[in-house]
Amino acid sequence: MAQQKGIIKLRGTIGDITFYKTKDGHMAREKGGVDAKRIANDPAFQRTRENGSEFGRAGKAGKILRSSIRSLLLNAADSRMVSRLTQSMIKVIQADTTSVRGLRNVIDGEAELLIGFEFNINSTLDSTIYVPYQASINRVTGAILLEIPSFVPADMIVAPSGATHFKILSAGTEIDFESETFLEAHTETAVLPLNKLPTVAITHSNIVTPNSTKPLFLVMGLEFYQEVNGTMYTLKNGMYNPLSVVTVSGL
């Protein structure tokens, strides 16, 4: 691909050249590729079809995970989060050692590979909060737990400039990737001041189905606020709010 220069930027197709806009600027590329019918039927493109099938499955898996934590994602996601999550889901699917290529899936893969995935690359969880929290999943009871000991916010949280308050959020989600359904529970603290006073110990208990046979996820995040005349305002529209997968229990 090539980058468009000059004052006038084009969009659309002229001859064999397609002009379009991306986050990186105005681009141009030559039309090309193999006929779709040939890709769908030619034995020479068997691997292409297999890769396409698994890529589509990864995209759907990422979408259902995002949907299950939508209430938290509204204020914590970067512009390329969807594509980054799809790539991580592809790695999960490729870890499936029981299904044939093209039919590999999340259920038989390694969902634990998603641990540490950051939904907002602009602000990661581990670079924002330095409290030694505990994340656990109890499949028998369905309890997806986040436990945080008492801490001093001003010492243990790296807040963006202008922030005066914060809150901690978590969500436990049980996902059926085959039927594309989920069960979710989430918890959040009150809005807390970024000061030198120790917090109380924090426990979030997010309950899903006891004895579930589906993959279970725990995500944790922070939201930052600025107090102005007694009113709390979300800081920078959530640009610096971290949200991360902190633990996973596959099958």
Side-chain angles (χ1 to χ4, degrees):
M1 69 182 67
Q3 188 169 20
Q4 297 185 53
K5 300 292 185 180
I7 298 175
I8 300 176
K9 307 300 183 185
L10 302 176
R11 293 191 187 184
T13 301
I14 301 177
D16 291 332
I17 306 297
T18 299
F19 301 89
Y20 58 100
K21 183 180 180 180
T22 71
K23 183 178 180 180
D24 298 317
H26 292 266
M27 313 298 286
R29 67 184 176 193
E30 185 177 6
K31 292 174 62 178
V34 182
D35 182 81
K37 290 183 178 179
R38 183 182 175 192
I39 293 177
N41 298 288
D42 192 331
F45 289 92
Q46 177 65 26
R47 291 290 176 263
T48 301
R49 291 192 292 274
E50 292 169 352
N51 291 339
S53 175
E54 293 183 353
F55 181 84
R57 198 170 293 116
K60 288 182 178 180
K63 182 179 179 180
I64 189 64
L65 175 57
R66 298 195 311 274
S67 296
S68 74
I69 57 169
R70 178 172 172 75
S71 61
L72 277 67
L73 272 180
L74 289 174
N75 292 316
D78 64 77
S79 61
R80 293 181 175 174
M81 179 271 292
V82 173
S83 60
R84 292 191 300 103
L85 182 56
T86 298
Q87 291 300 317
S88 293
M89 281 294 186
I90 288 174
K91 293 178 181 178
V92 171
I93 288 173
Q94 290 175 340
D96 176 359
T97 59
T98 60
S99 306
V100 298
R101 182 168 176 166
L103 297 178
R104 293 179 295 185
N105 58 82
V106 174
I107 300 298
D108 297 314
E110 294 291 338
E112 288 81 1
L113 292 173
L114 293 172
I115 294 175
F117 180 83
E118 299 285 351
F119 292 93
N120 185 4
I121 204 68
N122 298 312
S123 180
T124 63
L125 188 65
D126 287 347
S127 66
T128 303
I129 184 167
Y130 289 87
V131 183
Y133 57 84
Q134 295 293 320
S136 62
I137 295 175
N138 188 323
R139 280 193 168 274
V140 175
T141 64
I144 302 178
L145 301 175
L146 175 66
E147 299 173 281
I148 306 173
S150 173
F151 66 97
V152 175
D155 295 338
M156 303 302 285
I157 291 180
V158 180
S161 177
T164 61
H165 291 72
F166 73 101
K167 67 180 176 181
I168 297 174
L169 314 91
S170 71
T173 181
E174 170 190 358
I175 300 181
D176 186 334
F177 287 102
E178 294 179 327
S179 66
E180 298 182 25
T181 58
F182 62 85
L183 177 64
E184 180 267 355
H186 63 270
T187 313
E188 60 184 51
T189 65
V191 176
L192 304 172
L194 283 161
N195 58 22
K196 285 282 190 177
L197 298 177
T199 68
V200 298
I202 297 167
T203 299
H204 288 182
S205 182
N206 303 301
I207 306 297
V208 294
T209 307
N211 298 306
S212 172
T213 59
K214 307 303 181 184
L216 306 178
F217 299 82
L218 174 62
V219 300
M220 172 185 171
L222 280 81
E223 290 186 358
F224 290 104
Y225 299 86
Q226 185 177 72
E227 183 179 13
V228 179
N229 296 328
T231 300
M232 296 296 173
Y233 295 91
T234 300
L235 195 68
K236 302 269 187 192
N237 296 316
M239 182 183 298
Y240 297 112
N241 293 338
L243 184 66
S244 178
V245 178
V246 293
T247 193
V248 177
S249 174
L251 300 180

